[in-house]
Amino acid sequence: MTDTDTPTLPADDITVTPTAPRIGESAPRPDGIAKVRGEFAFSSDLWADGVLHGHTVRSPYASASIRSVDITAAVAMPGVYAVLTADDVPGLATYGLDHADQPVLARDVIRYAGEAIAIVAADHPETARRAADAVVVDLQPTDPLVDPEAAAAAEPIHPDGNVFRELTIRHGDISATGEVTVEGTYEVGMQDQAFMGPESGMAIATDDGGVELFIATQWLHVDRDQIAACLGLDPERVRLTLAGVGGAFGAREDLSLQVHLCMLAMHTGRPVRMCYSRTESFVGHVHRHPARLWYRHHANRDGTIVKVEARVLLDGGAYASSSPAVIANATCFAAGPYRIPNAHIEGTVVRTNNPPCGAMRGFGAVQTCFGHEAQMDLLAAELGMDPVELRVRNALAPGDALITGQVIAGTAPVREVIEACAQHPEPELPDDHWLQRPGGVGRTADAHHISRGRGFALGFKNLLFSEGFDDYSSAVVRLDAGVATVVCACAEVGQGFVTLAQQIAREELGVSNIVLAPAETATVGSAGSTSASRQTWMSGGAVQAACREVRNELLAHVGAQYDVDPETLVLRDDRVTALSLDGTSDFSMAIADAVGDRTFESEVEFHHEPTDELDENGQGNAHVSFAFSAHTAVVDVDPELGLVRVLDMATAQDVGRILNPLQAIGQIEGGTAQGVGLAVMEELVTVDGVIRNASFTDYLIPTTLDMPPVRIAALIEEPEPNAPFGAKGIGEPPTISSTPAVVAAIRAATGLALPRVPVRPADIALPDTA
C-alpha cells in the first residue's frame, strides 16, 4: 500500500469547485446558502390559504385500557373543524414498515407512552392544542412490560406476540474451543436521532377524492402505500412531495403524522398542517434499540481467534418498525470484521411497552460493535498483545468468509484501515486551559486529578438492503436544449444527493446545466429509502444508467445526422466532440445545437445483485457489500468527578471511491459526533416506559464545545465492483467505530471495565455503587 492509496484529506486542504463540479470534485450544496441564511423552506414552513392546524391527543401511560373517548367538549369549541378517533379511520386500521401492527389511532389498548388516541384540526395552533386537551380519554392503567429479558415468557401485549424475531448463526464447529477465553456482558442505552427539525408536514384534499401530502420523510413511496391503505384509497390518488427535511438518521423511515394529516384534510376539505413540539417529537418517532449483549471469545496463544459466542437482545418497544432487519444486522455483524472460523450467535428482538425502536444510523451494528471491540481489548490484555496487532492478525480480507458463510467478493481493505488509523501521528493537543478540561465551564476538573487515555476501535456493516429484499431505485433523465433534468424520488435528508445527482449527470452527459426536479411520487417510481448507506449506489446508479441511455441515444443521433462514427464522439464541456486516434478533434459542436428541438429521455429501474435469505443456521449470501472504519480517541478524565473530555478523534475509512471530498468529510464528522454522543452523554431515560428527558435541556447531544477535531487519517479508495464509479456509502461507518474507541480511551484512563454506554459520571466516580 503506497501513500497515494491512502490519501489524507483534511478539510482545510479541500478545494471547492463553485461551478459545474464533476465526479471527484468538491461540489457545494445547492441548498447550502439558503440553509445558512435561514431562507430554506423546511416542512415546518409550509403554508396555504385557509390552512388548519393539527394536534394529537396522546396517552400519558405506557400500558392502559381505553374505556372511553369523549370528544363532545372539543367538537363544541369555536374554531375546531374536526376531532377524529379510531372510528374515523377509513381504511386499514394499522400500519407498519414491514408488518402492519401499529394502530393509526389507538382503539382499545395503549402500548406505549405517547401513543396517539385522537387528532384535532382547528383554525389556530393554540385552539387545536386546547381542543386536544378537552378530549376526555378514560384510561385504566395496567402494569407495563418494560424488561426485555422477561418479554419472551410474559403474557403477550399484542396479538402478534412479544418476539419480533429470533435469529441464530451457527458457523463452523460450534463446539470448538481456544487456549484462552474472555467473557463479557455489555449494555447499550436508548439513543435518539435528535434531528433539528421536528416532524411536520401539510396535507391538501384533491378534487378526485384523493390527497396531496408535503412531508419530510425518508421513503416517499412506502409512505404513500401505507397512507393509501389506511385511507382506503388507490395509491395513485395519494400523492407525496418531499418537503424540506431537517435531518433524519433513520427516524423518518416510519410514519408519524402522515396518516393523521391526510385524514384531517380529507375530513375538513381544508389544507391541514402539523408540526410536533420537541417533546412530542421525542415520543413521535422510533429510537435506537437498547441492547444487552453477552460475549465469549476463544483464541489461541498466538492471538488467532478460534470462536465467538454471543447473545444479542434488543428491545424493540411496542411495535415492529424495522426491528426484524435491525436484529439481523446486529447478529450478522456481532463478531466484528475479523476472520472467525467458528461462531454461535443468538439474536432476539422483543416487544415491550417501552417506546418503539427502529432505524438509526448504523442499524444494529452500533450496538454489537461496542461489544465485540470491548472483547478484543479484553482478549489483547489476556494475551499480553498490542490491541492493534491483535486486530491486524485477525482482519478480514477479500475472499474470506463471514460468520454467515458469505465470501467477501468485493473490496475489504480492513488491514489498511486499521494500520492507517493506528499509525496516524498523534495530534499536538492544546496547552492546558481550564476550558479544555473535563467539565469545561461547569464543574471544571483540577489539572492534578486528570488522567489521559487512548483507545482504538474497528467496525463494519453492510451497504444496501439485504436478505433477499428486491432493492431498486428509479430515475428519469431528460436532455432538452442542452439542459439535463434529473427526476428521482430519492429523499434528500442531508446526505447530499442534491449535489451527487448533478455531478453524475454532468460527468455522464457533459452538460453544465443540470436541473434536479422535486422528489415526488407522481412523476417517477420509487427510489427506496434514504437509509442503509444505499442512495449513492442505488439512486446514483439509476441516474447514471439513465444518463448513459440518453447519451447513447444522442450520440447515435449526431452520428447519423453528420455522418460521424458515434464511437468517436464524446460529451464534454457542453460540446459533442469527435476524437481521432491521435487525440485531436475533427468535429465539435455545442450539445444544445446537437439536441436541437428534440428531447432525449430515459427512465430506468436500477437493481443491485440479488441477495439470499438466511437459512435456519443463519447462513447465506445475505448482503451486497460492506464498509469498514476505524477510530482512535484521546480523552481526559477526572475520576473523582466522573467527568470526561474527548480531546481528539482520528479515523480511517474504506470509501470505495470519493465522489465529493467535501461531503465525505462532512458525513464522517457528523457520524463521529453521534458516536461520541452515545459514548458519553446521549440516552433516553425511561421509567415504567415513560420518557423522562424528552427535551434538549435533559437529552444531551454534543455541541461544538464538546466535539474535538475529527482528523482524517486516510480515506482508502479501492473501487467497489458493480458500484457506480466504485463508490461506497460513507455516512454510517463513522457512527459505528467511534463509540467503542471513546470508551476504550476512558477505560485506559481509569482502569475501569465500563461495560455500558453512555458512560455516566457515576460509572466512573462511584464504580462500586453505580
Side-chain angles (χ1 to χ4, degrees), residues 605-677:
E605 191 175 273
F606 180 83
H607 295 249
H608 66 58
E609 62 186 58
T611 57
D612 302 325
E613 295 182 9
L614 296 169
D615 66 18
E616 66 276 7
N617 291 311
Q619 302 296 288
N621 295 326
H623 307 290
V624 179
S625 180
F626 310 92
F628 308 86
S629 66
H631 276 83
T632 59
V634 180
V635 304
D636 276 353
V637 182
D638 185 327
E640 292 188 358
L641 296 178
L643 299 177
V644 176
R645 179 80 153 174
V646 183
L647 298 175
D648 180 71
M649 298 292 296
T651 185
Q653 186 166 322
D654 153 44
V655 298
R657 181 186 173 192
I658 303 170
L659 303 186
N660 185 332
L662 181 65
Q663 237 160 236
I665 297 296
Q667 287 292 305
I668 290 170
E669 290 176 340
T672 300
Q674 286 186 310
V676 170

Side-chain angles (χ1 to χ4, degrees), residues 148-436:
E149 297 278 3
E155 186 74 19
I157 62 173
H158 190 283
D160 295 338
N162 292 348
V163 178
F164 292 123
R165 187 178 184 183
E166 295 177 292
L167 175 64
T168 300
I169 292 177
R170 302 178 185 88
H171 179 67
D173 179 7
I174 63 173
S175 66
T177 59
E179 298 170 339
V180 174
T181 63
V182 292
E183 187 173 330
T185 302
Y186 308 96
E187 187 174 346
V188 178
M190 184 187 297
Q191 186 181 20
D192 190 77
Q193 296 85 351
F195 41 59
M196 292 182 67
E199 290 81 350
S200 53
M202 183 172 69
I204 302 174
T206 56
D207 293 339
D208 64 355
V211 65
E212 291 187 6
L213 178 64
F214 301 85
I215 190 70
T217 181
Q218 291 178 241
W219 198 343
L220 284 164
H221 284 76
V222 162
D223 279 13
R224 179 201 64 181
D225 293 345
Q226 293 179 82
I227 294 166
C230 294
L231 297 179
L233 295 175
D234 293 333
E236 292 74 21
R237 292 168 64 192
V238 179
R239 294 174 284 278
L240 271 64
T241 299
L242 185 70
V245 182
F249 313 114
R252 298 190 201 269
E253 270 201 304
D254 297 77
L255 298 187
S256 53
L257 44 66
Q258 283 91 325
V259 181
H260 299 164
L261 274 170
C262 293
M263 286 175 58
L264 291 170
M266 295 181 69
H267 183 86
T268 63
R270 297 267 294 270
V272 180
R273 68 184 297 271
M274 190 181 292
C275 181
Y276 285 176
S277 67
R278 179 59 61 184
T279 297
E280 191 175 15
S281 179
F282 271 103
V283 301
H285 63 245
V286 297
H287 315 285
R288 190 186 300 286
H289 292 75
R292 299 181 185 179
L293 314 164
W294 170 84
Y295 277 90
R296 182 188 290 136
H297 277 54
H298 300 249
N300 290 332
R301 288 288 178 187
D302 65 357
T304 303
I305 297 175
V306 175
K307 184 175 72 173
V308 173
E309 301 172 86
R311 287 193 296 271
V312 179
L313 176 64
L314 301 184
D315 183 352
Y319 297 109
S321 181
S322 54
S323 285
V326 175
I327 191 60
N329 265 26
T331 308
C332 287
F333 305 115
Y338 306 109
R339 286 189 304 276
I340 311 292
N342 311 291
H344 187 191
I345 316 291
E346 296 177 350
T348 306
V349 58
V350 296
R351 188 192 307 270
T352 67
N353 290 121
N354 289 317
C357 292
M360 185 176 174
R361 196 175 197 168
F363 206 79
V366 167
Q367 292 92 322
T368 50
C369 186
F370 175 65
H372 67 64
E373 288 305 275
Q375 285 289 107
M376 292 299 284
D377 287 342
L378 272 182
L379 184 58
E382 181 69 21
L383 295 169
M385 181 179 290
D386 179 74
V388 173
E389 173 57 30
L390 177 65
R391 289 168 168 87
V392 170
R393 184 180 295 266
N394 293 282
L396 282 171
D400 286 343
L402 304 174
I403 60 173
T404 58
Q406 180 170 352
V407 174
I408 298 177
T411 60
V414 186
R415 182 182 183 126
E416 293 86 343
V417 166
I418 297 171
E419 293 179 340
C421 189
Q423 296 171 8
H424 194 56
E426 291 197 5
E428 292 185 11
L429 296 174
D431 295 336
D432 179 63
H433 186 280
W434 63 273
L435 280 175
Q436 298 298 322

Side-chain angles (χ1 to χ4, degrees), residues 1-9 416 420 423 713-717:
M1 204 68 174
T2 67
D3 290 340
T4 56
D5 292 322
T6 58
T8 300
L9 291 173
E416 293 86 343
Q423 296 171 8
L715 300 180
I716 311 297
E717 292 196 80

